[in-house]
């Protein structure tokens, strides 16, 4: 126990030497190596002095054992941890899971003590072989997406058993104890279904709350990816979809504030506007916006893609939510900037949270070639805000134009042809119906937007269904 306490003290000392009183946890993604130049990103692009903790995402599982995901992970692991030769104060963790990992392998692994032991033993061997300092559990999510309710309790047990095994291995080998951390949901319903909050708060070294993806192309209206506060138009469960609510919910239900790390995105979510004249939060949306040139995912732009869009766009901000957004043509994007980061860091410090988590280091303008603001403009600003004494939240400045209360007529989209029209789409569905959103009566994954008797067929993301109670796409 004395050695464990000594290691914890050394970790705090190292943070102090770095100039941090807060953790700055940065995720590296092993698929960013496949982006076109100059956006391709590998471990040699990482600035080892930028973050206190670097998390390599993601590993997978095979036969209940942790396993590499990409074909060259074994090489990238070595390159990534060689960064500690440049900065020995940097701590590295390996994240297992992720959204695409699903839940089946997790559910099967936690189902028995024997399976959990296989996993834990493999984690220790894997982390030591490649010189990682800990494991980051990113199972999305216990108790949801096909994971049964009993996985909520089993996730706690897994965390407890990992910590006990890490403590024993550290004592037996006279090594610093491996860290055990987790990235967790920021959605109230998913939190309630998946986590014994106070219990995991006792065990985990820190908890990164994924305070982003509150809104995106799966919604039927525009909304910022990571608002600090609720907006004046938020109702129903949408009042929970903001950083403030999520962070305080974890804290107020039993996790020490200093263990909670708040998520900061370095990307934005985009929407397609049926009516380009309606540029506001809550405007009707016709699905995800176009894919970024380099990230190549509909509805998702890296910071280095957003900053090239902004100069010719109409820029606005929300005083209530402390966020910025912009429109050009039929594209709408919510994004992060100096103001939003300052307001979030002020909130973080006022509530004594443990630091910031960045998703992801490879989505910032890491080379400085896109935005003209130097290398890693967002993360560098975040690092300086955390380390500095300044604590301000600038106002929006000039009042933006008032929101449109009566949208003008929507220009119809090109009709769906017989070659692309789905059999369950009725292009006459909206005839005689009031303007609004309606679920497709034969396929709950699809819905219609009716405007002036014109039918606009729309779809939720895979696995989601349209719910008229909130006019939103949600899990079944």
């Amino acid at each position: 126990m004395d050695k464990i306490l000594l290691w914890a003290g050394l970790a705090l000392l190292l943070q102090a030497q770095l100039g941090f009183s807060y953790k700055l946890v940065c995720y590296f993604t092993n698929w960013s190596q496949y982006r076109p130049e100059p956006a391709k990103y590998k471990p040699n692009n990482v600035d080892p002095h930028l973050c206190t903790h670097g998390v390599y995402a993601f590993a997978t599982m095979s036969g209940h054992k942790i396993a590499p995901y990409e074909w060259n992970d074994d090489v990238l692991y070595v390159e990534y941890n060689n960064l500690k030769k440049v900065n020995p104060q940097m701590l590295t963790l390996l994240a297992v899971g992720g959204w695409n990992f699903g839940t089946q392998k997790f559910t099967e692994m936690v189902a028995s003590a024997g399976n959990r032991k296989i996993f834990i033993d493999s984690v220790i061997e894997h982390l030591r072989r490649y010189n990682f300092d800990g494991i980051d559990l990113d199972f999305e999510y216990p108790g949801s997406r096909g994971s049964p309710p009993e996985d909520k309790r089993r996730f706690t047990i897994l965390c407890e058993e990992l910590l006990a095994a890490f403590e024993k291995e550290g004592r037996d080998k006279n090594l610093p104890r491996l860290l055990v951390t987790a990235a967790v949901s920021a959605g109230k319903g998913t939190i309630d279904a998946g986590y014994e909050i106070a219990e995991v708060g006792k065990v985990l070294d820190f908890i990164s709350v994924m305070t982003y993806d509150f809104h995106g192309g799966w919604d039927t209206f525009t909304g910022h990816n990571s608002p600090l506060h609720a907006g004046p138009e938020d109702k129903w469960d949408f009042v929970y979809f903001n950083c403030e609510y999520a962070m305080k919910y974890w804290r107020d239900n039993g996790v020490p504030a200093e263990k909670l790390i708040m998520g900061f995105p370095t990307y934005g979510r985009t929407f397609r506007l049926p009516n380009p004249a309606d540029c506001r939060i809550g405007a009707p949306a016709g699905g995800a916006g176009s894919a970024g040139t380099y990230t190549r995912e509909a509805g998702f732009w890296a910071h280095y893609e957003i900053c090239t869009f902004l100069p010719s766009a109409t820029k606005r901000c929300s005083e209530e939510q402390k966020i910025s957004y912009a429109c050009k043509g039929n594209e709408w994007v919510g994004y992060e900037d100096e103001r939003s980061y300052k307001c979030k860091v002020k909130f973080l410090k006022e509530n004594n949270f443990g630091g910031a988590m960045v998703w992801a280091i490879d989505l910032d303008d890491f080379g400085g070639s896109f935005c003209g603001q130097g290398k890693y403009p967002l993360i560098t600003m975040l690092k300086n805000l955390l380390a500095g004494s300044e604590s301000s939240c600038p106002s929006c400045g000039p009042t933006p134009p008032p929101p449109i209360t009566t949208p003008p007529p929507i220009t119809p989209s090109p009709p769906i042809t017989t070659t692309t029209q789905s059999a369950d789409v009725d292009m006459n569905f909206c005839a005689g119906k009031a303007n609004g959103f309606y679920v497709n009566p034969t396929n709950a994954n699809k819905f219609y937007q009716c405007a002036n008797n014109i039918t606009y067929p729309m779809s939720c993301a895979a696995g989601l269904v349209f719910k008229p109670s909130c006019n939103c796409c949600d899990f079944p």
Side-chain angles (χ1 to χ4, degrees):
M1 183 61 71
D2 290 343
K3 291 175 183 175
I4 296 168
L5 292 174
L6 177 61
W7 173 244
L10 286 172
L12 291 172
L13 177 61
L14 292 177
Q15 282 193 37
Q17 291 172 345
L18 266 175
F20 285 85
S21 56
Y22 299 92
K23 293 180 178 67
L24 181 51
V25 181
C26 299
Y27 279 80
F28 160 89
T29 59
N30 54 3
W31 60 91
S32 55
Q33 63 180 308
Y34 302 122
R35 292 182 184 136
E37 293 287 5
K40 178 180 290 189
Y41 196 91
K42 297 183 78 173
N44 62 0
N45 296 111
V46 176
D47 177 354
H49 296 282
L50 195 59
C51 307
T52 61
H53 296 70
V55 187
Y56 186 108
F58 287 109
T60 185
M61 287 168 52
S62 177
H64 310 314
K65 295 181 179 180
I66 194 169
Y69 186 89
E70 293 293 342
W71 63 277
N72 60 343
D73 270 338
D74 56 342
V75 175
L76 298 185
Y77 287 162
V78 174
E79 294 177 358
Y80 191 71
N81 283 305
N82 279 344
L83 295 169
K84 293 189 288 188
K85 294 180 180 178
V86 181
N87 178 14
Q89 299 167 344
M90 178 184 176
L91 298 175
T92 61
L93 299 100
L94 178 61
V96 57
W99 180 261
N100 292 332
F101 177 82
T103 60
Q104 182 179 354
K105 292 179 179 179
F106 163 75
T107 293
E108 293 172 352
M109 180 268 290
V110 296
S112 71
N115 289 352
R116 293 193 299 271
K117 186 176 188 307
I118 292 172
F119 174 73
I120 293 168
D121 289 346
S122 74
V123 166
I124 293 173
E125 191 277 331
H126 201 71
L127 297 182
R128 293 302 189 192
R129 178 194 303 175
Y130 293 106
N131 194 30
F132 285 100
D133 299 299
I135 189 73
D136 184 61
L137 304 176
D138 194 354
F139 298 121
E140 301 182 21
Y141 297 99
S144 297
R145 302 181 70 210
S147 169
E150 51 266 35
D151 282 356
K152 177 177 182 176
R153 176 61 189 154
R154 290 170 178 169
F155 179 74
T156 304
I157 295 171
L158 174 66
C159 293
E160 293 170 343
E161 291 177 346
L162 274 165
L163 177 60
F166 286 0
E167 289 177 338
K168 182 179 186 303
E169 190 260 355
R171 288 193 303 268
D172 291 349
K173 296 182 179 179
N174 195 30
L175 293 171
R177 193 257 294 171
L178 293 166
L179 300 173
V180 54
T181 68
V184 300
S185 174
K188 181 180 181 300
T190 308
I191 296 169
D192 292 341
Y195 308 102
E196 296 179 339
I197 297 176
E199 296 306 309
V200 297
K202 296 174 185 175
V203 178
L204 296 171
D205 289 292
F206 61 82
I207 297 172
S208 296
V209 185
M210 294 185 279
T211 44
Y212 39 76
D213 287 349
F214 287 114
H215 296 287
W218 51 88
D219 289 330
T220 59
F221 54 89
T222 60
H224 197 278
N225 168 47
S226 181
L228 178 55
H229 305 300
E233 303 302 320
D234 286 337
K235 57 183 69 173
W236 303 300
D237 284 357
F238 291 113
V239 299
Y240 308 138
F241 288 17
N242 57 83
C243 302
E244 177 185 24
Y245 186 90
M247 294 301 295
K248 289 182 176 179
Y249 193 73
W250 276 94
R251 180 197 66 190
D252 295 346
N253 281 278
V255 178
E258 65 272 14
K259 282 192 174 186
L260 290 171
I261 311 299
M262 180 171 157
F264 284 68
T266 51
Y267 67 94
R269 290 287 181 181
T270 70
F271 298 84
R272 186 174 66 253
L273 295 172
N275 175 19
D278 193 358
C279 175
R280 59 190 170 102
I281 297 171
S290 61
T293 303
Y294 301 97
T295 51
R296 299 177 293 187
E297 177 185 339
F300 180 100
W301 291 352
H303 178 67
Y304 55 76
E305 292 168 324
I306 294 170
C307 72
T308 60
F309 172 85
L310 293 179
S312 59
T314 299
K315 297 182 284 291
R316 294 182 179 176
C317 67
S318 165
E319 197 67 71
E320 296 86 3
Q321 294 187 290
K322 309 300 183 188
I323 49 87
S324 298
Y325 59 103
C327 302
K328 182 169 66 177
N330 67 347
E331 297 278 7
W332 191 106
V333 61
Y335 62 95
E336 302 293 333
D337 55 15
E338 181 178 8
R339 176 177 172 273
S340 68
Y341 266 29
K342 280 186 173 181
C343 293
K344 288 178 177 179
V345 170
K346 181 175 186 289
F347 167 80
L348 184 158
K349 290 183 175 182
E350 287 175 345
N351 287 275
N352 298 312
F353 293 124
M357 174 268 281
V358 172
W359 184 273
I361 193 170
D362 46 81
L363 298 173
D364 201 356
D365 185 16
F366 58 90
S369 59
F370 289 92
C371 305
Q373 300 170 337
K375 296 182 178 180
Y376 295 102
L378 283 180
I379 302 175
T380 298
M381 175 171 54
L382 179 56
K383 172 183 176 179
N384 292 335
L385 288 170
L386 290 171
S389 58
E390 178 187 358
S391 184
S392 65
C393 178
S395 65
C396 272
T399 304
I404 297 172
T405 54
T406 306
I410 298 175
T411 303
S413 301
I416 298 178
T417 65
T418 54
T419 57
T420 60
Q421 183 172 334
S422 171
D424 59 7
V425 170
D426 176 7
M427 292 305 295
N428 296 316
F429 179 86
C430 291
K433 289 186 171 62
N435 291 353
F437 295 95
Y438 299 84
V439 67
N440 185 311
T442 62
N443 185 343
N445 176 254
K446 300 180 182 296
F447 60 98
Y448 298 105
Q449 180 181 0
C450 296
N452 303 324
N453 294 317
I454 299 169
T455 302
Y456 296 90
M458 299 183 179
S459 298
C460 297
L464 304 182
V465 298
F466 182 77
K467 293 189 176 180
S469 60
C470 62
N471 279 345
C472 68
C473 296
D474 200 352
F475 292 108

